[in-house]
């Protein structure tokens, strides 16, 4: 009876502990998600009414005028196109180039492989700084050029380490069999290694895709042409430069009776620019975890 009583007490304590953990996770989720919900709710509310405050859970005066004002500006449509183009092109070229370099460095027969790895690791901790980097970009002819989103991001040493760890685990017999059939190193990489490396390729593509979508720094520093600015740079300038307290929406039929404020425009722009990646990210989260575990467990 005494043993049973001790077991029940222990079980009850574990039950309380589990419930506390669940409550703690719910609180963390609420703290994380509520700011997003707050921005969405206020972006769907009339701008003048939102200035009164008190909107926390639902729009008080629902309207889509804020979003109409955002999309009425042709600049945001152009910026979306630039962002989509640089995300797709930058991700594909980054994955292929980094994987190709990583495959070479994963070969033990490569002369000076350890020296290259040491030099690469040093670049992860030290850089020349922003001014030398800007001068380099200018001298390469990449200033105000779409390729500034692609060429400087072709290679990332951290991603190379993940690739190298994965390539080292592939059976050597596959390469030996391909060489016996007359394939050279490039053919082996394209026809053997890449098809077998789709998990790590998906992981790196997700890393780079999220970076390309969220990057605004390159557009701020290296781009003056508004037609080459990505959507995140557009959002940055809307938030940083908008100083008017009120603006009217110019519709095809004339000026509408609804008014929107600079704050409501900022909120609507934030929703428009972040919604695509927010919707995609939860479904691809597992690849982030998998990417961090590649090569960490042996045997």
């Amino acid at each position: 009876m005494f043993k049973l009583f001790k077991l029940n007490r222990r079980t009850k304590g574990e039950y309380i502990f589990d419930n506390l953990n669940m409550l703690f996770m719910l609180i963390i989720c609420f703290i994380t998600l509520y700011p997003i919900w707050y921005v969405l709710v206020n972006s769907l509310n009339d701008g003048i009414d939102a200035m009164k405050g008190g909107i926390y859970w639902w729009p008080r005066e629902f309207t889509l005028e804020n979003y109409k004002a955002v999309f009425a500006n042709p600049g945001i449509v152009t910026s979306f196109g630039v962002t989509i183009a640089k995300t797709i092109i930058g991700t594909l070229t980054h994955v292929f180039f980094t994987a190709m370099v990583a495959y070479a460095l994963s070969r033990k027969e490569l002369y000076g492989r350890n020296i290259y790895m040491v030099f690469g690791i040093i670049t992860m901790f030290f850089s020349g700084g922003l001014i030398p980097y800007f001068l380099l970009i200018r001298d390469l002819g990449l200033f105000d050029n779409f390729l500034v989103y692609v060429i400087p991001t072709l290679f990332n040493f951290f991603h190379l380490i993940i690739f190298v760890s994965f390539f080292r685990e592939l059976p050597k017999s596959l390469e030996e069999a391909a060489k016996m059939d007359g394939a050279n190193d490039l053919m082996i990489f394209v026809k053997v290694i890449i098809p077998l490396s789709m998990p790590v390729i998906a992981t790196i593509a997700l890393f780079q895709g999220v970076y390309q979508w969220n990057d605004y720094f390159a557009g701020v520093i290296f781009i003056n042409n508004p037609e080459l600015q990505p959507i995140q740079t557009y959002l940055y300038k809307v938030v940083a430069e908008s100083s008017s307290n009120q603006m009217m929406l110019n519709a095809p039929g004339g000026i509408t009776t609804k008014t929107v404020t600079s704050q409501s425009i900022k909120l609507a722009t934030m929703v428009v620019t972040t919604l695509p990646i927010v919707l995609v990210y939860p479904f691809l989260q597992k690849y982030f975890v998998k990417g961090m575990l590649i090569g960490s467990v042996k045997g």
Side-chain angles (χ1 to χ4, degrees):
M1 178 66 68
F2 181 70
K3 292 182 177 180
L4 180 61
F5 177 72
K6 288 182 64 179
L7 179 63
N8 290 336
R9 287 188 60 184
R10 186 179 63 86
T11 303
K12 183 178 180 180
E14 289 181 347
Y15 176 79
I16 295 175
F17 182 75
D18 291 341
N19 280 273
L20 290 176
N21 283 337
M22 188 73 68
L23 179 62
F24 178 75
M25 288 187 290
L26 289 175
I27 293 174
I28 295 297
C29 289
F30 174 79
I31 294 175
T32 303
L33 296 177
Y34 179 73
I36 302 175
W37 177 253
Y38 178 83
V39 171
L40 177 63
V41 167
N42 280 269
S43 69
L44 292 171
N45 197 85
D46 179 76
I48 300 298
D49 179 72
M51 295 177 64
K52 302 175 183 178
I55 302 174
Y56 303 109
W57 301 106
W58 305 102
R60 189 161 51 216
E61 293 187 15
F62 179 84
T63 181
L64 296 177
E65 298 298 326
N66 299 321
Y67 290 93
K68 290 180 181 179
V70 170
F71 286 105
N73 188 339
I76 194 171
V77 179
T78 304
S79 298
F80 255 117
V82 172
T83 299
I84 293 173
K86 85 183 190 75
T87 299
I88 296 175
I89 298 174
T91 301
L92 292 178
T93 54
H94 172 86
V95 169
F96 182 80
F97 187 83
T98 305
M100 185 167 55
V101 178
Y103 175 68
L105 290 177
S106 66
R107 303 301 90 190
K108 294 182 179 180
E109 59 271 19
L110 177 66
Y111 182 76
R113 179 173 61 93
N114 292 332
I115 297 177
Y116 300 146
M117 293 295 291
V118 170
F119 285 162
I121 292 175
I122 291 175
T123 63
M124 296 178 63
F125 299 98
F126 303 98
S127 66
L130 178 59
I131 295 178
Y133 183 56
F134 177 85
L135 297 176
L136 175 64
I137 294 296
R138 186 196 62 183
D139 293 341
L140 290 175
L142 297 178
F143 186 80
D144 238 4
N145 191 325
F146 178 81
L147 292 179
V148 76
Y149 301 128
V150 179
I151 294 179
T153 61
L154 282 176
F155 180 77
N156 182 286
F157 196 79
F158 174 72
H159 295 171
L160 178 138
I161 293 175
I162 298 177
F163 269 121
V164 168
S165 300
F166 184 86
F167 291 155
R168 286 177 179 174
E169 297 179 355
L170 296 177
K172 304 298 182 183
S173 58
L174 294 174
E175 299 179 35
E176 296 173 356
K179 289 182 178 180
M180 292 180 61
D181 291 337
N184 55 31
D185 290 331
L186 182 60
M187 294 178 61
I188 293 174
F189 174 71
V190 173
K191 296 184 178 181
V192 178
I193 300 301
I194 288 183
L196 294 175
S197 305
M198 294 312 296
V200 68
I201 287 177
T203 301
I204 301 302
L206 184 58
F207 283 150
Q208 187 65 17
V210 172
Y211 165 78
Q212 285 283 6
W213 183 273
N214 291 329
D215 178 46
Y216 77 95
F217 184 77
V220 173
I221 302 298
F222 304 120
I223 299 295
N224 285 333
N225 186 356
E227 295 183 357
L228 293 178
Q229 291 178 346
I231 191 64
Q232 298 299 340
T233 302
Y234 179 88
L235 171 61
Y236 169 81
K237 292 190 174 183
V238 167
V239 174
E241 298 177 0
S242 179
S243 59
S244 60
N245 294 324
Q246 183 173 333
M247 62 180 292
M248 302 298 294
L249 174 62
N250 293 316
I255 299 178
T256 61
T257 57
K258 287 285 184 178
T259 58
V260 293
T261 63
S262 61
Q263 181 66 18
S264 64
I265 289 292
K266 293 177 184 178
L267 296 177
T269 307
M270 291 172 62
V271 173
V272 169
T273 53
T274 58
L275 185 61
I277 200 66
V278 169
L279 294 178
V280 171
Y281 186 86
F283 299 99
L284 303 178
Q285 170 68 19
K286 60 180 180 180
Y287 291 110
F288 278 92
V289 179
K290 188 174 183 179
M292 300 306 296
L293 295 178
I294 288 177
S296 62
V297 180
K298 303 292 184 181

